Amino acid sequence: MATAERTSELTRYRMLIGGEWVDAASGETFESVNPYLAEPWAAIPEGTAEDVDRAVKAARAAFEGPWGQTTGGERSKLLRRLSTLIAENADELARIETRDNGKLLREMRGQTGLIPDWYDYFAGAADKIDGRVIASDKPNFLVYTRKEPIGVVAAVLPWNSPLLLLTFKLAPALAAGCTFVAKPSEQTPASALAFAELVQEAGFPAGVFNVVTGSTDVVGKALVAHPGVNKVAFTGSTETGIAVAKSAADNLARVTLELGGKSPNIVFADADLEAAANGVVSGIFAATGQTCIAGSRLLVEESAHDALIERLVARANTIKLGDPMEPETEMGPVAYREQLDKVLGLIQAGVDEGAAVACGGRQDPDAGGLFVQPTILTGVRNDMTVAREEIFGPVLSALTFTTEDEAVALANDTRYGLAAGIWTSNVHRAHRVAHRLRAGTIWVNSYRTISYTTPFGGFGMSGIGRENGVDAIDHYTETKAVWVELT
Ligand code: NAD
């Protein structure tokens, strides 16, 4: 990956627009900060509305050029080539992400190591995007449908899993024959720029994939409001998702939204408590709690409460905080200063509203940097701020229930509906409760697994649409009906 240049202390990146590596029209850059070292490490182009306009026009020109006429088989070959290049560069991409967001190198390697599977899977789907012949009520017509690419896709991305969440959108979009403009988070802009080099090397035509970096207010807003964009694929917070959807609505651009969550992990007294404790701990403390699917509300049957909390506290107290690049580190810092302040403020709100701190509760005094101790709050009621708001940090809010109905009611009493875990040894209960929960993903005696094969997305305020699985391609196509008069 040669796009980035090291000048003085900072690695300098350029944007990819219309197949060319460019600085921002303003000539300005901003610094991307390594949250563990609290030091800037990269200089990133501070894109402008003019850059967004150029990128959308380049994507449009590519869509209307030869790319728009490619067959699924041709796109499939390019996707497979891209998959191979990502696999060859997975370690370097993971290091860039860890430098940007402070998450464990082990976790980011896990993600970048899996990303090629997404491109292989959608390569397999690219030449199977079929329309169908309609059983028409009009005997003098042959009617059939075609699924055609939707056009120019704008992707707006968060900082927690930058390339994986880009891939959820890009792989089906390219399979369908769309063109693409990505705007990574300003907290984690570097990996999308490094990745763009691989897209070019794979041989995608100029303008098919573009990346514009810069601020939310300038680049983010200009991109989602651009009249040349046919579809906005967004991952981020619910509040931003609503603003993005409103802006896209002015152009009737299609949207898919993957938003926040306050997902319950429900532990029944008949569960294997050891397994449940492992699942609850990884559900909330993995990735420092900075995942949309974090199991941030523990709902535990009252009779198992003390035994489970004891296990959870014992595990939480041994989690090793430290340098995310080191293999023995189990939890890294939160990604940036405002996020640290937000997490600490919400813990305080929990205490003020009557929750008890079973462990953690503070900024870690020894780890240095932006570390919050793994925190478990007990005695939480579902109307407290810590049970209702997404904290996006290593904070578990524990509530109790006494009946299955109460567990389901508490689980569903949230504006979100992204995911839920059920821990029980009763197979009837497992399915019964899974069917009653209002969430897009339910794990039984497990937590956090996702796959390119399986639809992912939210009920309620957790989003619109599903990513992953072969049906994700439908979000990147328009259906056209063709009527042929036969007589
Ligand atoms: P965010 O909503 O603050 O920002 C996401 C992106 O939107 C950024 O690139 C930002 O620049 C851009 N943006 C913000 N306001 C905009 C506007 N008005 N118009 C256009 N673009 C705008 O989210 P974040 O803090 O980067 O990420 C954390 C959030 O993402 C959490 O809420 C988390 O749950 C959610 N998330 C959801 C999923 C999922 O798949 N459901 C996955 C990961 C993260």
Side-chain angles (χ1 to χ4, degrees):
M1 291 188 225
T3 316
E5 257 168 46
R6 269 195 81 77
T7 54
S8 67
E9 294 303 296
L10 298 182
T11 305
R12 173 143 190 176
Y13 284 88
R14 292 200 164 75
M15 305 187 289
L16 181 64
I17 298 179
E20 286 177 14
W21 295 102
V22 294
D23 290 319
S26 63
E28 302 286 314
T29 59
F30 67 98
E31 291 176 343
S32 190
V33 175
N34 176 325
Y36 175 65
L37 300 173
E39 278 174 5
W41 74 276
I44 307 289
E46 180 77 69
T48 62
E50 192 185 328
D51 295 311
V52 169
D53 189 53
R54 277 172 50 219
V56 173
K57 286 183 173 145
R60 174 66 52 200
F63 184 67
E64 286 170 4
W67 173 256
Q69 305 307 315
T70 50
T71 63
E74 288 163 337
R75 296 195 297 276
S76 177
K77 287 197 184 82
L78 289 170
L79 284 161
R80 287 191 207 284
R81 219 175 286 154
L82 176 59
S83 162
T84 305
L85 287 169
I86 298 166
E88 287 167 9
N89 289 278
D91 192 63
E92 176 57 14
L93 293 170
R95 285 177 183 281
I96 292 171
E97 298 219 312
T98 290
R99 246 171 254 144
D100 255 358
N101 68 10
K103 284 171 76 172
L104 300 186
L105 181 58
R106 195 161 15 111
E107 181 186 351
M108 299 329 288
R109 270 188 183 140
Q111 290 191 1
T112 57
L114 285 178
I115 285 173
D117 292 346
W118 261 260
Y119 291 95
D120 285 336
Y121 178 81
F122 284 101
D127 56 0
K128 300 172 190 68
I129 305 174
D130 295 333
R132 65 189 183 96
V133 177
I134 303 292
S136 175
D137 61 323
K138 313 262 187 279
N140 56 327
F141 279 98
L142 164 67
V143 187
Y144 64 93
T145 61
R146 288 167 51 78
K147 286 191 182 177
E148 299 184 355
I150 209 163
V152 176
V153 175
V156 179
L157 303 160
W159 47 265
N160 60 337
S161 299
L163 284 183
L164 186 66
L165 296 170
L166 167 67
T167 293
F168 282 13
K169 299 156 183 59
L170 182 62
L174 292 177
C178 295
T179 57
F180 209 90
V181 181
K183 185 254 171 233
S185 164
E186 49 264 59
Q187 312 297 338
T188 54
S191 64
L193 297 170
F195 174 86
E197 197 171 332
L198 304 181
V199 179
Q200 272 222 316
E201 199 180 329
F204 285 87
V208 170
F209 180 67
N210 308 272
V211 185
V212 185
T213 50
S215 73
T216 295
D217 280 343
V218 176
V219 173
K221 289 185 177 169
L223 182 57
V224 299
H226 198 294
V229 167
N230 300 107
K231 188 233 159 89
V232 178
F234 174 79
T235 299
S237 65
T238 293
E239 284 60 37
T240 307
I242 293 166
V244 164
K246 284 182 176 164
S247 182
D250 283 341
N251 300 309
L252 288 186
R254 281 71 177 131
V255 290
T256 40
L257 304 173
E258 297 291 350
L259 309 177
K262 193 75 198 175
S263 299
N265 231 328
I266 309 172
V267 182
F268 290 94
D270 62 17
D272 172 344
L273 283 194
E274 274 301 302
N278 286 335
V280 172
V281 163
S282 77
I284 185 62
F285 297 129
T288 319
Q290 301 172 127
T291 66
C292 51
I293 52 177
S296 53
R297 278 188 304 150
L298 168 65
L299 310 184
V300 53
E301 192 165 346
E302 202 161 81
S303 58
H305 175 270
D306 293 355
L308 182 65
I309 295 292
E310 194 181 315
R311 282 178 166 85
L312 295 176
V313 168
R315 279 179 176 59
N317 283 335
T318 61
I319 291 175
K320 189 170 177 336
L321 311 185
D323 184 345
M325 292 284 185
E326 294 299 328
E328 68 272 13
T329 301
E330 293 172 323
M331 204 178 93
V334 298
Y336 53 101
R337 163 69 49 188
E338 293 79 1
Q339 188 61 19
L340 176 90
D341 295 340
K342 179 185 159 200
V343 174
L344 294 173
L346 282 164
I347 294 172
Q348 188 57 48
V351 171
D352 292 346
E353 292 173 28
V357 179
C359 65
R362 288 200 297 273
Q363 184 170 7
D364 192 275
D366 305 319
L370 305 174
F371 285 88
V372 178
Q373 296 169 330
T375 297
I376 299 176
L377 301 175
T378 55
V380 173
R381 292 186 321 274
N382 214 33
D383 61 355
M384 289 183 183
T385 310
V386 288
R388 306 208 77 76
E389 278 193 27
E390 184 183 47
I391 298 177
F392 226 60
V395 183
L396 179 69
S397 300
L399 298 81
T400 57
F401 65 86
T402 51
T403 65
E404 188 179 301
D405 282 348
E406 192 191 356
V408 170
L410 282 169
N412 287 340
D413 178 18
T414 172
R415 65 181 189 139
Y416 295 112
L418 194 57
I422 302 169
W423 299 85
T424 178
S425 56
N426 178 335
V427 69
H428 309 288
R429 166 178 277 160
H431 290 286
R432 199 166 57 227
V433 174
H435 295 190
R436 294 177 69 192
L437 294 176
R438 305 266 312 150
T441 296
I442 312 288
W443 291 287
V444 176
N445 295 328
S446 164
Y447 205 81
R448 287 180 76 87
T449 319
I450 58 160
S451 165
Y452 50 89
T453 58
T454 307
F456 175 78
F459 283 37
M461 301 294 262
S462 287
I464 295 178
R466 295 292 178 270
E467 297 191 309
N468 305 336
V470 72
D471 294 341
I473 290 189
D474 290 346
H475 288 299
Y476 295 91
T477 62
E478 291 280 16
T479 299
K480 177 183 282 176
V482 181
W483 293 71
V484 184
E485 223 282 345
L486 297 176
T487 54

